[in-house]
Amino acid sequence: MTSAEIGMVVEGATGPSLPSGIREGVVSRADGNPLFAEALVTVIAERGPDTIDTFRVPETVEALVAARLDALPHSLRSLVLDAAVVGVSIRAEALASMSGLGPGAVKEGVKDLFRREFLRPAGGGEHEFWHGLVQEVAYRQIPRAVRSAKHRAFAEWLEVRGSEEATDLLAHHFGRALDLAVEARESKEIRQHLAEQSFAYRVLAAGKALRGADPGGAATLLVSAAEALGEILAPDLGLVGEAGGLLVTLGRWSDAIDLLTPFATSARPAILRALGVAMCKLNREDPDSEDYRNGQAYLERAAAHGDGDALASLAGTWKGIDESKVRELYRRASEIDPADPYPLGNLLEYEVQAAGDTSSLQGLRGRISAAIDRCRQQAAGGKNLPWAYYDLGKFSLLLGRPYEGLEAYAKAVDLSPASFMVETSLASLHRLSGVTKRVPGLAWARDLLALAHDDHAVRDAHDRLHHMLHDQDGHAVV
């Protein structure tokens, strides 16, 4: 803005009574920035008429905001700092919980902050900062250890509310509390507790992100969750297995191996299965390698605990090597749980391929229908995605329901975070090529996945190139 326009902003905010020297100083220091001018006018107004002639104009907008914060009574300044940690969607109940003040005192304090134009109503009983810069400056004024405690206090308030929608916020605030506690060299006990909470909520939030078709967000959460493990003496192995499974779903083989290898001596099938799959996928170009064989060994250990999916995954590692062994392993896996879509779907492919027709399906229609029900339950609960839709698509085609099958495949493609998923499912349909004329919609589904595979391959290549050219902090590698 021009100097004349800034002058009009100042006069509109203060009226003609502002001494000309102060007005000219505001216009000069604002340097065309209306935010600076408005903030400076607010500071001058707060100082009162007795000091307005001698007020020294700060050099930056940040200094202006800091001056306003410093001028607040202690109780109000404390509320602003708490609100700065919350960031957005600020509720008086949260501030009361964090500050230890009574609801009445907080309510009056918030009203005062409205009048002083620090906060403003945002609807639905929530508040927000008048400007993001105020929140940023206030946040930076809080010492690291205190900031960590405030993030923890807000996260614990969110936990009490028990809202599933709060998972992302809990992951963020417990994560920030942990990061700041580490920087502030807080006690091991404090870091341990925060790491446990941070790990748990980051894994939960990653699953939520993946169900919401946000693989990038899920990957970021899982990598940060893995970093928190270093502070935990005895991690929840169930959550470790879940995190490893999510990394495998994302095709992050190396990350999954790094996360799970320290727990390879456990007897948890989910950990052993995810580790085995990751090792075999990472080394699939060299199935004779020691790492590939070790991956198969982990799958065998998981299968020994009655894990049908591990046995089915083991079958997949023998494809192209020993097809008769593949078929036998799928049959054994399917016997563990006859309605499990994963082994049943693969077994059907091999049975149809061996027979050269679909006659073998007649005696299995009941199991196929049960598997379809399982897929629908998984999809409705946001579990086993996108595989629940891939399996549903295949079963629907085999039962002569082409349109249901194509709809399921379209959903599966939309939810696939990595190209290997489309590639695997496309190979599955190619295995049924001998019965294309007997299975309505099979050719259409194959064409759909072929197009989707090309698109995913391009995106995966772009992501790999970006990763090669940038370090972990997102800075370009020179």
Side-chain angles (χ1 to χ4, degrees), residues 402-447:
Y403 296 108
E404 290 181 25
L406 289 169
E407 182 181 7
Y409 274 119
K411 289 180 179 177
V413 167
D414 189 50
L415 291 172
S416 295
S419 63
F420 84 91
M421 296 178 164
V422 184
E423 181 180 354
T424 299
S425 300
L426 180 58
S428 174
L429 294 185
H430 278 306
R431 203 169 289 115
L432 295 171
S433 294
V435 294
T436 299
K437 293 182 178 179
R438 295 183 179 90
V439 180
L442 180 58
W444 296 343
R446 203 161 50 227
D447 290 344

Side-chain angles (χ1 to χ4, degrees), residues 352-423:
V352 169
Q353 187 181 46
D357 58 38
T358 58
S359 59
S360 58
L361 300 179
Q362 297 306 313
L364 297 171
R365 293 182 74 87
R367 286 178 61 183
I368 296 173
S369 295
I372 285 177
D373 290 340
R374 181 85 60 88
C375 291
R376 287 173 175 161
Q377 291 170 6
Q378 291 174 342
K383 298 178 180 179
N384 193 33
L385 298 177
W387 298 116
Y389 282 116
Y390 278 120
D391 290 332
L392 181 58
K394 184 196 303 180
F395 293 139
S396 296
L397 290 181
L398 292 176
L399 288 186
R401 304 170 186 171
Y403 296 108
E404 290 181 25
L406 289 169
E407 182 181 7
Y409 274 119
K411 289 180 179 177
V413 167
D414 189 50
L415 291 172
S416 295
S419 63
F420 84 91
M421 296 178 164
V422 184
E423 181 180 354

Side-chain angles (χ1 to χ4, degrees), residues 311-332:
L311 197 57
S313 295
L314 179 61
T317 68
W318 287 100
K319 287 181 178 179
I321 302 172
D322 187 340
E323 293 299 315
S324 62
K325 188 168 187 175
V326 174
R327 188 176 176 186
E328 175 59 26
L329 287 171
Y330 278 135
R331 181 179 291 108
R332 285 171 50 196

